[in-house]
Amino acid sequence: KQEVTQIPAALSVPEGENLVLNCSFTDSAIYNLQWFRQDPGKGLTSLLLIQSSQREQTSGRLNASLDKSSGRSTLYIAASQPGDSATYLCAVLTQGGSEKLVFGKGMKLTVNP
Amino acid sequence: EAQVTQNPRYLITVTGKKLTVTCSQNMNHEYMSWYRQDPGLGLRQIYYSMNVEVTDKGDVPEGYKVSRKEKRNFPLILESPSPNQTSLYFCASSFVGYHEQFFGPGTRLTVL
């Protein structure tokens, strides 16, 4: 059974720091991995999608990498801003026919001005 | 604008009173899915649909029903809601074939 872990559960940093958010998964048989952002009381916003054949994806200040063989992904946020404060979730799309996303429990990020 | 919409966004109801949460997408996606999000448990899949008239159970289907009569709509039905169904519900859609999934804004349901 696929399990996705995000450690730590929360992180508080001063503005301007470069951040690395970690995600690990137990079964390397995945099709892709998505990073999402969730603001309080809001829905999930897709940030980056990495296909299993890819090593990384970039969007603006965000860069996500994937090491499928070791079951790890990282989301790098450059020059963090208070507006980056949110909960970040990673999810893997597992093989098995249901196209189900298996989510980590998320990491709550607070960027202080 | 390409989007997934859900209605209502907030709902407070009482045990046993049937309700429906609607989900609609305008991206011509074949795949649609419902998740619930609970503190400490994360997001879990309830039901999914690979196309019109094709639905199947996810990890936590008990107490829920779905239908897929049209490609764009995928309503979630709670025939007899109970307090343990108090949760934040998300609808998602994508093209079939392991593509990026897009989520609706969520429906916060409270069952008293």
Side-chain angles (χ1 to χ4, degrees), chain A residues 53-73:
Chain A
S53 59
Q54 297 176 315
R55 297 284 294 183
E56 65 178 79
Q57 280 286 340
T58 298
S59 175
R61 292 185 295 111
L62 305 179
N63 175 277
S65 66
L66 174 64
D67 184 342
K68 201 173 77 159
S69 61
S70 68
R72 293 181 184 175
S73 176

Side-chain angles (χ1 to χ4, degrees), chain B residues 6-8 11 19-23 34 74-78 89 107 109:
Chain B
Q6 295 179 226
N7 283 292
L11 180 60
L19 66 93
T20 299
V21 183
T22 65
C23 173
W34 278 102
F74 190 44
L76 180 70
I77 303 155
L78 286 72
Y89 291 87
T107 295
L109 172 65

Side-chain angles (χ1 to χ4, degrees), chain A residues 80-100:
Chain A
S80 58
Q81 304 169 356
D84 295 329
S85 299
T87 296
Y88 291 81
L89 298 109
C90 73
V92 295
L93 191 56
T94 58
Q95 297 184 10
S98 72
E99 303 211 15
K100 175 180 69 176

Side-chain angles (χ1 to χ4, degrees), chain A residues 31-32 34 36 38 41-44 46-49 51 89 93-94 96-105, chain B residues 9-10 31 35 37 40-43 45 48 50 59 88 90 94-101 103-106:
Chain A
Y31 286 111
N32 60 48
Q34 259 181 278
F36 293 89
Q38 184 175 22
K42 299 290 179 65
L44 302 173
S46 180
L47 297 173
L48 287 165
L49 170 74
Q51 299 293 352
L89 298 109
L93 191 56
T94 58
S98 72
E99 303 211 15
K100 175 180 69 176
L101 283 171
V102 178
F103 283 83
K105 290 185 170 60
Chain B
R9 294 288 316 281
Y10 304 91
Y31 179 82
Y35 294 83
Q37 185 179 33
L41 296 176
L43 283 109
Q45 190 185 54
Y48 67 96
M50 301 294 273
D59 294 323
L88 181 58
F90 289 104
S94 74
F95 291 114
V96 166
Y98 318 112
H99 294 273
E100 184 177 12
Q101 292 195 19
F103 281 72

